[in-house]
Amino acid sequence: MLVFSRKDDKPLDKNDAAYLRTNAPQVVDWVTSEEGKRVIAGTNFDLAKGNLELLKKRFKVEDYTGK
């Protein structure tokens, strides 16, 4: 499970959501926190084999895979 948030700690906006969906098409479930500042990505695909490095340039990424 990966958790994405903005580097400036502001709530995610429509552009952020579109960017995530476009650059992480392997994610099947997205869950946004109540404050809108974090989104949890649910996938069985190893995003490190996808665009994870690209996503890390724009977002803070917390990796809870295997924890």
Side-chain angles (χ1 to χ4, degrees):
M1 172 177 64
L2 296 172
V3 178
F4 295 91
S5 58
R6 289 176 52 142
K7 290 186 176 189
D8 62 6
D9 291 320
K10 291 183 180 179
L12 297 159
D13 61 26
K14 290 180 184 180
N15 292 328
D16 296 320
Y19 189 88
L20 284 166
R21 285 188 193 95
T22 299
N23 291 293
Q26 306 87 353
V27 173
V28 293
D29 289 314
W30 294 100
V31 178
T32 305
S33 68
E34 290 180 22
E35 319 80 41
K37 290 187 174 187
R38 290 190 167 138
V39 64
I40 301 165
T43 183
N44 289 329
F45 180 80
D46 182 359
L47 288 179
K49 295 179 182 175
N51 289 332
L52 186 57
E53 291 306 313
L54 177 67
L55 296 170
K56 285 181 176 180
K57 290 180 182 178
R58 181 168 175 163
F59 300 99
K60 287 191 277 185
V61 179
E62 299 169 66
D63 187 351
Y64 294 99
T65 306
K67 293 184 181 175

